[in-house]
Amino acid sequence: MINKILSVLVVLPAILFVVTGVRWLVDPAVSATQLGMALDQGLGLSSQVGDLSSFFLTLGICILLAVVTGRRMWYYPPILLLSLAAIGRLIAWLVHDAALAPQIGVEVLIAILLFVASRRLPREA
Amino acid sequence: MGVIRTGLAALALLASVTCLADLGENLSGQAATPQRPNILLVLADDLGYTDLASYGSEINTPILDALAQQGVRFTNYHSAANCAPARAMLLTGVDAHLAGVPNIPEMLAPEQQRHAHYQGVLGTNVVTVATLLEDAGYHTYMAGKWHLGTGPGQLPSERGFERTVALADSGADNWEQRPYIPIYDKANWYADGKEYTLPEDFYSSRFLVDKTIEFIDSNIEDGKPFFAYLPFQAVHIPVQAPQDFIDRYMGVYDAGWDVLRERRLTRATELGIVPEGVSAVRMSTTADWEALDAQRQRYEAKRMAVYAAMVEAMDFHLGRLLDYLKQSGQYDNTIIIFTSDNGAEASGSVDPHSFVNRRLTDSLGYRIDYETLGLKGSYSSISPSFASAAASPLAYYKFYAGEGGMRVPLIIAGVGLPVQGELVRAFSFVTDITPTILSFAGVASPGPRYRGRPVESIIGRDLQPLVRGSEERVYGPEETVGYELAGHAALFQGDYKIVRNRGPVGDGQWRLYNIVDDPGEANDLATAEPARLQRMLLAYERYVLENKVLPVPPGYNHLNQLVTNTLYNRMRSPILVGLLTLLVLIPFVVAHRRQDQ
């Protein structure tokens, strides 16, 4: 039962990440606003759309692969991505005068959730 | 050909400078080095033909009436039948189709949008009057509605205006920064090319005049003349006005639209705006006032009261700008041009309390109650019935090529002008404004290339000979001026006009009118003068070819297209995101189910 609930808790953010990644491809203006950034032009726009859509799509697809295949290794990329994103935000706040983004909490929480899931859910390593 | 054109341009410049010298003498009272005049171009939005007191209105517009006495009123001036094309022609002197704005982008059909000149955005193949004046040493300012593009290189700050505060959309709320139709996420305001947040105490007419004064005042010491473009939001939907202005019109419209239309016709006739005995058709969209219950009559009368109040508020704030010019010593050297982008707007709901209209206003967070109508948070408009009265005695209104959609007030005034308080009955067109401004400023029209790029030639005429009373007309009796908007079409030649109004109000048939004797377009001459009709139809076909006019798709209806485009713009992203997300998720769902089996 706990594993079922854990699966649902893991799949929900995975779908959210996929939607966010797709939205970066389809409607980057809205996605940029949600992340507190202005939409760039030219090379900047290309980097925003390419990098951020791949970030979110990789997150979502890896989590879904982990749940469907039952293999632990698929949890590691999203855990790494989210943890490094949170660390990057902290450094940005400490060194580059960026805002202390509340998203850090969400990223850390989902990373912990994924770590717990990687210990309990997989059928193989 | 190029040599001839250059020679003509040089002659035009010489003539302009001669006129300017005359004006300088008039202004100073002695022969001296001519001082270039300031130019103030004021544009009302959706103002009907008889919405000013000096054109036959009951609305109190003392400032504009005083201007009319200091210059001339044009009674046969025509603009486009809707907003952006009119603004494109006004600011460039080039036909809207060649300028890239054959219609507002919100109403273009997808089949038309495949063509580069059908984007509803001012093309880079035209030069604005602001660019020409800026290059000639003028300060150039704009405060108000732009609606000619927001992309790179499209904002007014990149089209010749030195200082700007501009509304990019077709309209917006007058009390706060919010959209008025669901096609927009927000009201898109820009200042000097950057997104702009409106102040808390915003009221459109007051704010735009304040900004214009601020811009002019910021450079007043350097002695350079200015060109200020002041396109008001008044009286575009949502129709909104301060309470004290509304109070002045409570009870004025209780007799209904038919009485108002008749009163305005009578007054316009007395003023000489229209000839004696003009026939006026009753539009099929005009409802039966007597059939309304007392509560509906009371509500409709207040809708019109708010409209009148918004017109008077615009006039009042324009007065503050003119006071500033007088106090700063610039008024006597300023040419003021006032007009409207098109005729009265009839898109207001017939019944604001209908289910559909309630859903629309609710979705935008607006109230429509009687008590607060026109105030902050309230959504008001006039119905086609009162719009027809605002266009009295003309037929049709905005979006249609009937006179009610195209014939609007035009006042050109200035202390030094030789003719004061007169009426000009000659035909004139919106493309004439740019060459007229250039003529006043002593600036030559651009040749076939400008700043190294090929540009469209100005087709309009300098109206100075009419303003100065030296000519009876600027278009010869055989010259033609064509017009097209989404299949609605017209061609003017001498005193005559052929016109085709499509649905939902028109029937798509060509008709012929003598618009000098019959400005109400009540007597179709198509049968009586078939040869003239055929000649003008051929001229219209030439206009279509020369201006790359595209046909509308079968079954096109501008209102339906607006709704379709709104849905497309609003729903395209969510639908696409949903479909692509499904495509990503489906393999996982399938794999998961196969594992369960």
Side-chain angles (χ1 to χ4, degrees), chain B residues 171-187:
Chain B
D173 195 280
N174 293 280
W175 288 111
E176 55 192 321
Q177 190 158 4
R178 68 192 291 189
Y180 79 112
I181 47 175
I183 200 165
Y184 306 112
D185 289 324
K186 59 185 169 67

Side-chain angles (χ1 to χ4, degrees), chain A residues 14 50 57 66 73:
Chain A
L57 286 171
M73 60 173 282

Side-chain angles (χ1 to χ4, degrees), chain A residues 19 22 26-27 64-65 68 123, chain B residues 573 576 580-581 585 588 591 595:
Chain A
V19 170
V22 169
V26 172
D27 196 356
L64 291 171
L65 280 169
V68 170
R123 296 182 289 276
Chain B
S573 287
L576 211 52
L580 288 173
T581 303
L585 295 181
F588 294 101
Q595 278 184 352

Side-chain angles (χ1 to χ4, degrees), chain B residues 90-261:
Chain B
L90 179 85
L91 293 175
T92 66
V94 175
D95 183 86
H97 299 82
L98 296 181
V101 195
N103 198 343
I104 58 173
E106 294 86 346
M107 284 185 178
L108 285 168
E111 296 89 332
Q112 296 175 320
Q113 288 178 355
R114 293 191 196 114
H115 299 265
H117 66 300
Y118 266 69
Q119 303 303 305
V121 167
L122 195 64
T124 52
N125 60 331
V126 288
V127 191
T128 69
V129 65
T131 298
L132 295 167
L133 292 177
E134 187 180 37
D135 289 352
Y138 268 72
H139 287 299
T140 52
Y141 310 123
M142 179 200 159
K145 177 171 141 182
W146 174 243
H147 202 205
L148 290 172
T150 57
Q154 293 170 355
L155 284 168
S157 51
E158 296 181 82
R159 299 309 303 254
F161 289 97
E162 180 185 328
R163 295 296 313 278
T164 61
V165 59
L167 171 64
D169 309 330
S170 62
D173 195 280
N174 293 280
W175 288 111
E176 55 192 321
Q177 190 158 4
R178 68 192 291 189
Y180 79 112
I181 47 175
I183 200 165
Y184 306 112
D185 289 324
K186 59 185 169 67
N188 293 291
W189 283 87
Y190 293 84
D192 300 326
K194 295 188 171 64
E195 285 195 40
Y196 182 71
T197 304
L198 293 175
E200 280 296 311
D201 63 341
F202 174 77
Y203 176 68
S204 64
S205 294
R206 184 183 64 222
F207 172 78
L208 297 176
V209 163
D210 286 347
K211 294 304 286 189
T212 303
I213 292 173
E214 179 192 317
F215 292 160
I216 295 170
D217 207 48
S218 66
N219 288 311
I220 199 163
E221 298 299 334
D222 70 6
K224 286 167 69 174
F226 68 79
F227 167 60
Y229 175 42
L230 174 55
F232 281 106
Q233 284 178 248
V235 274
H236 194 283
I237 295 172
V239 177
Q240 296 166 316
Q243 185 67 59
D244 52 335
F245 285 93
I246 297 172
D247 290 343
R248 297 169 199 177
Y249 295 95
M250 295 304 290
V252 171
Y253 300 106
D254 289 355
W257 36 70
D258 291 314
V259 172
L260 180 64
R261 188 163 159 85

Side-chain angles (χ1 to χ4, degrees), chain A residues 64-82:
Chain A
L64 291 171
L65 280 169
V67 172
V68 170
T69 62
R71 296 181 67 177
R72 181 171 295 135
M73 60 173 282
W74 287 115
Y75 282 105
Y76 298 147
I79 290 170
L80 265 174
L81 280 171
L82 289 168

Side-chain angles (χ1 to χ4, degrees), chain B residues 236-484:
Chain B
H236 194 283
I237 295 172
V239 177
Q240 296 166 316
Q243 185 67 59
D244 52 335
F245 285 93
I246 297 172
D247 290 343
R248 297 169 199 177
Y249 295 95
M250 295 304 290
V252 171
Y253 300 106
D254 289 355
W257 36 70
D258 291 314
V259 172
L260 180 64
R261 188 163 159 85
E262 193 57 38
R263 276 183 192 155
R264 286 203 178 181
L265 168 58
T266 304
R267 183 65 185 139
T269 307
E270 288 168 2
L271 290 168
I273 298 293
V274 294
E276 292 278 347
V278 162
S279 302
V281 295
R282 192 172 193 277
M283 296 298 296
S284 61
T285 49
T286 299
D288 181 358
W289 178 261
E290 299 305 328
L292 303 181
D293 62 34
Q295 199 174 354
R296 270 295 302 282
Q297 287 185 349
R298 180 171 168 261
Y299 191 86
E300 292 298 327
K302 181 156 187 187
R303 289 173 82 183
M304 188 62 198
V306 175
Y307 178 91
M310 195 172 183
V311 174
E312 185 176 340
M314 174 187 70
D315 183 86
F316 170 79
H317 289 291
L318 177 62
R320 290 197 303 111
L321 173 57
L322 301 189
D323 284 345
Y324 161 78
L325 293 177
K326 287 171 186 166
Q327 285 159 15
S328 59
Q330 302 193 71
Y331 185 78
D332 290 354
N333 188 38
T334 301
I335 298 294
I336 301 156
I337 301 172
F338 174 87
T339 186
S340 176
D341 60 347
N342 48 251
E345 163 79 273
S347 300
S349 177
V350 173
D351 179 6
H353 295 93
S354 67
F355 177 79
V356 172
N357 196 64
R358 289 299 292 262
R359 297 287 76 73
L360 177 71
T361 47
D362 284 354
S363 71
L364 291 165
Y366 277 109
R367 302 183 307 272
I368 54 167
D369 62 283
Y370 176 85
E371 282 72 23
T372 63
L373 207 60
L375 305 182
K376 191 172 183 176
S378 165
Y379 195 100
S380 188
S381 58
I382 55 171
S383 72
S385 303
F386 265 129
S388 196
S392 177
L394 310 177
Y396 290 90
Y397 24 66
K398 182 180 178 183
F399 294 121
Y400 292 93
E403 289 290 276
M406 297 184 69
R407 193 187 288 220
V408 291
L410 169 65
I411 297 169
I412 299 182
V415 171
L417 292 178
V419 177
Q420 308 251 318
E422 297 293 322
L423 296 173
V424 172
R425 302 183 196 283
F427 171 81
S428 52
F429 196 59
V430 62
T431 45
D432 301 334
I433 301 299
T434 280
T436 304
I437 291 172
L438 294 177
S439 167
F440 275 121
V443 175
S445 296
R449 297 184 75 83
Y450 196 78
R451 290 183 180 172
R453 264 204 319 248
V455 294
E456 294 291 340
S457 298
I458 290 176
I459 58 167
R461 304 292 163 85
D462 174 11
L463 299 178
Q464 268 220 61
L466 301 176
V467 174
R468 301 172 66 80
S470 59
E471 300 281 349
E472 288 291 313
R473 53 170 73 214
V474 290
Y475 289 91
E478 295 304 315
E479 288 183 288
T480 58
V481 173
Y483 174 71
E484 190 270 352

